[in-house]
Amino acid sequence: MARADSHPKPRRASAMPLPDCVALVLQGGGALGSYQAGVIEGLAASGIEIDWVAGISIGAVNAAIVAGNPPERRVERLRAFWDKVSSGLPSFPIFPNDQLREVLHEWSAGMVLAGGVPGFFKPRGVPPTWAAPGTVGALSYYDTTPLRQTLDELIDWDLVNRGPVRLSVGAVDVESGNFHYFDTTTDRIDARHIMASGALPPGLPPVEIDGRWWWDGGLVSNTPLSHVLDHQDVALLAFQVDLFSATAEAPRTIMDVMAREKEIRFSSRTRQISDQSMKLRREREAIGKVLAKLPDDLRDDPDVAALAAMAAEKPVSLVQLVYRANAWEGGSRDFEFSARTMQEHWLSGVAAIEQTMRGAELVARNIVDGTTAAFDLCAHNGLKPSNPVKSRPKES
């Protein structure tokens, strides 16, 4: 959780009280990650302190910038990163209809494929099919050396590892296929760990760390929520920021098919993880309530004590924010790094937090009551409980 003595207790933001730990959970999604940067700006404007930030892929980049800068510089450093990676394509004018905008969107993505992204990755001089087998050049189409320089410029790694904000990033071991979290409570994290979390093949190369090779954590799980909940030991408020929506209209074009396939692939597991986690939490809370009603002689029974230990949970309030793609954003949305699109994503993230804060009394009530619940930000209805528990009808 938060490092010792990192802040006084109790804490309160402008819109709600804060529990002992506030976590920010950031999904992978390439160029869509500027939406997360907007969310982070919105949280800062609302006075919400972050104690723990966990990320996958581009979420790991945003997470490291948060953990590696003091609060007053985080938005500035995030802006520097996103301005840099979107500087290769201009801020195009907004066209009057979605069809023209989609053409421009796909053209911009094509330019990224051809020329790379400034400060992030560049095409290899020799195609991987011509490179010597076993070399890094044979394992990807792009070189991510620019990303390491960018991260080192924007992040204080001593602050990451010794500062008040815990950082967790997920990656996949190439040889074993095992998923692993690098965490500042157990590891010293540097640019390699962030790059490993976002090393999506075959575009980007694996990253070597202590003799092992690592790929993008999104290959196994695109959200670090389970890691945060598995290691929770105090009351928690978690903002989960997803970049792909699980629900959408049926495809009408081949570009729609590409976009929808990617949404399902990257979003369904995050929703499944959050739903299962919250269901398990509620079940454990119910077991704990029943065990508390047992007489003292039964509570001392070893089997009851073991069950009580298994059911013990700290409360969590989970606020789920999901980026909703525009009609003109197709299957290339995660690698379309134009300045115009980046700015629109960013402003959407800021707006999402502003809308969330208008419904903050729901979350505040949950925090004060010490109960577990999840909330979704709906486009038209604001902040709402997700999968609320329905009361049983009374027996006649």
Side-chain angles (χ1 to χ4, degrees):
M1 292 302 165
R3 313 293 172 85
D5 302 323
S6 59
H7 48 66
K9 301 288 193 304
R11 300 177 301 165
R12 183 177 179 87
S14 58
M16 67 177 74
L18 300 178
D20 291 335
C21 181
V22 177
L24 186 59
V25 180
L26 304 177
Q27 188 188 65
L32 299 173
S34 50
Y35 173 79
Q36 295 172 343
V39 167
I40 294 166
E41 181 180 19
L43 290 173
S46 299
I48 296 178
E49 285 185 68
I50 303 300
D51 304 295
W52 187 358
V53 60
I56 300 288
S57 198
I58 197 65
V61 174
N62 287 328
I65 293 174
V66 169
N69 284 281
E72 66 274 12
R73 295 206 68 190
R74 289 170 187 165
V75 174
E76 169 201 332
R77 298 284 81 187
L78 284 165
R79 177 63 71 180
F81 173 80
W82 285 101
D83 282 348
K84 187 169 193 173
V85 298
S86 63
S87 64
L89 295 169
S91 182
F92 298 105
I94 298 178
F95 285 86
N97 61 64
D98 289 337
Q99 288 74 28
L100 286 175
R101 185 68 192 272
E102 184 172 0
V103 170
L104 180 59
H105 176 73
E106 296 302 327
W107 178 86
S108 299
M111 293 298 291
V112 168
L113 289 177
V117 173
F120 199 154
F121 59 86
K122 60 184 179 181
R124 295 194 180 279
V126 176
T129 50
W130 295 355
T135 63
V136 174
L139 304 179
S140 69
Y141 291 99
Y142 299 95
D143 176 7
T144 53
T145 302
L147 178 58
R148 177 154 195 164
Q149 181 178 352
T150 299
L151 294 173
D152 286 341
E153 289 175 354
L154 297 177
I155 296 168
D156 179 345
W157 297 110
D158 285 336
L159 183 61
V160 166
N161 291 285
R162 298 178 183 176
V165 179
R166 178 176 178 176
L167 174 63
S168 309
V169 297
V172 177
D173 187 299
V174 174
E175 294 178 88
S176 70
N178 291 332
F179 190 88
H180 176 75
Y181 279 99
F182 298 104
D183 194 298
T184 48
T185 62
T186 56
D187 306 286
R188 179 170 178 82
I189 288 179
D190 57 39
R192 296 172 302 161
H193 302 83
I194 310 306
M195 295 171 67
S197 184
L200 185 64
L204 307 184
V207 176
E208 187 269 331
I209 300 174
D210 299 331
R212 305 295 298 179
W213 292 91
W214 300 89
W215 267 335
D216 192 307
L219 294 174
V220 173
S221 174
N222 204 33
T223 177
L225 178 63
S226 57
H227 178 73
V228 170
L229 294 182
D230 287 346
H231 294 81
Q232 176 194 358
D233 56 13
V234 295
L236 176 71
L237 168 61
F239 292 89
Q240 176 173 281
V241 190
D242 290 351
L243 301 178
F244 295 95
S245 174
T247 59
E249 296 181 358
R252 299 181 60 190
T253 68
I254 192 62
M255 293 306 298
D256 292 343
V257 170
M258 294 172 61
R260 188 68 191 124
E261 182 274 335
K262 195 170 288 185
E263 286 175 333
I264 292 173
R265 175 156 43 103
F266 288 120
S267 70
S268 60
R269 285 175 293 179
T270 64
R271 175 59 65 175
Q272 182 182 39
I273 288 171
S274 60
D275 286 350
Q276 288 178 347
S277 296
M278 300 309 292
K279 180 177 181 291
L280 181 60
R281 290 297 177 103
R282 287 192 290 265
E283 290 174 350
R284 287 176 174 173
E285 284 184 351
I287 292 171
K289 290 178 181 179
V290 171
L291 293 177
K293 297 177 181 179
L294 295 176
D296 292 340
D297 59 330
L298 283 180
R299 290 188 197 179
D300 294 334
D301 182 271
D303 292 333
V304 173
L307 183 60
M310 293 171 59
E313 293 282 7
K314 297 293 184 180
V316 56
S317 298
L318 175 63
V319 179
Q320 302 178 111
L321 307 175
V322 183
Y323 175 69
R324 310 291 178 181
N326 296 290
W328 46 266
E329 292 184 276
S332 305
R333 71 184 69 156
D334 55 331
F335 58 92
E336 200 272 81
F337 282 86
S338 71
R340 166 68 66 185
T341 302
M342 180 278 291
Q343 184 66 12
E344 291 185 20
H345 291 160
W346 187 299
L347 293 176
S348 293
V350 173
I353 289 298
E354 291 175 349
Q355 189 177 6
T356 298
M357 290 303 107
R358 288 196 289 271
E361 69 278 359
L362 286 173
V363 183
R365 192 180 313 130
N366 203 66
I367 292 171
V368 171
D369 292 344
T371 56
T372 289
F375 305 88
D376 283 315
L377 182 61
C378 305
H380 303 294
N381 299 319
L383 199 65
K384 298 292 182 183
S386 34
N387 299 324
V389 179
K390 298 180 180 179
S391 59
R392 294 182 179 179
K394 294 182 179 179
E395 295 182 1
S396 56

